[in-house]
Amino acid sequence: PIGKIRTVGVFVNADLEAVILKVLNCELGYVQLHGSESPEYCQEVRTYPVKVIKAFGVGRDFDFSQLEPYLPHVDYFLFDTKAETHGGTGVQFDWSVLDAYKLDKPFFLSGGIGPNDVERIQNFRHPQLVGIDLNSKFETEPAYKDIEALKTFIGAVCPSGY
């Protein structure tokens, strides 16, 4: 919900028990999965009081049909730049690839979005887009965010408030 902060745990191919412990001990609202987690794994996580975001690396020839088995087991998808590693490239993918996304599941846009992308974000339209994942381009050093840059960006993208 707008105006309410939710905690998100980000995991890559983590042991299911470790994820569940973090969900319970840290009172996570969301679990973001960036590895090769199966639909069944996602469903197990979802049985706890948490929303599941399943990330996929998107390239020019991404096959959106591979997402279909996940539909009943996740709350959101996250589309990031396809890379050999899991996330953190700071590189954007061609967002026009998302024109082919026709599934009935909301998604977050990720991958190299930075302070200079306000206009690009304002002009991007997709009926299933629900949010933007801002990360490394807003860091002053690894894991340390530039709060003023984030506030400026969010204020420009959401001038009526967030």
Side-chain angles (χ1 to χ4, degrees):
I2 294 177
K4 193 164 189 178
I5 296 173
R6 303 281 189 202
T7 53
V8 181
V10 180
F11 303 92
V12 178
N13 297 325
D15 178 72
L16 183 60
E17 288 181 21
V19 173
I20 300 308
L21 281 173
K22 289 289 185 191
V23 166
L24 298 174
N25 292 335
C26 299
E27 299 180 15
L28 298 178
Y30 294 79
V31 168
Q32 188 170 312
L33 303 171
H34 277 265
S36 56
E37 298 88 2
S38 69
E40 296 77 20
Y41 181 102
C42 294
Q43 182 56 41
E44 281 293 318
V45 172
R46 200 172 182 212
T47 61
Y48 292 82
V50 67
K51 301 280 188 188
V52 173
I53 304 166
K54 180 66 182 101
F56 288 88
V58 176
R60 182 179 299 286
D61 56 356
F62 187 78
D63 179 8
F64 289 101
S65 69
Q66 70 180 301
L67 306 179
E68 290 176 12
Y70 289 88
L71 288 173
H73 307 295
V74 303
D75 297 283
Y76 304 95
F77 290 120
L78 180 143
F79 298 129
D80 200 350
T81 304
K82 184 177 182 177
E84 295 299 317
T85 60
H86 298 284
T89 66
V91 175
Q92 290 182 8
F93 66 94
D94 179 1
W95 297 350
S96 69
V97 172
L98 296 174
D99 292 343
Y101 180 69
K102 307 294 184 199
L103 298 174
D104 189 24
K105 185 67 67 175
F107 71 85
F108 291 90
L109 181 63
S110 187
I113 299 168
N116 297 325
D117 292 314
V118 169
E119 186 175 342
R120 189 159 186 234
I121 291 294
Q122 290 172 328
N123 292 326
F124 180 74
R125 298 284 181 267
H126 194 287
Q128 293 294 357
L129 176 67
V130 294
I132 302 160
D133 182 351
L134 304 177
N135 208 341
S136 61
K137 295 273 181 148
F138 289 90
E139 292 180 341
T140 55
E141 58 183 278
Y144 289 93
K145 304 296 182 264
D146 181 338
I147 301 302
E148 290 308 312
L150 283 165
K151 285 181 181 178
T152 300
F153 183 87
I154 293 168
V157 171
C158 307
S160 60
Y162 49 89

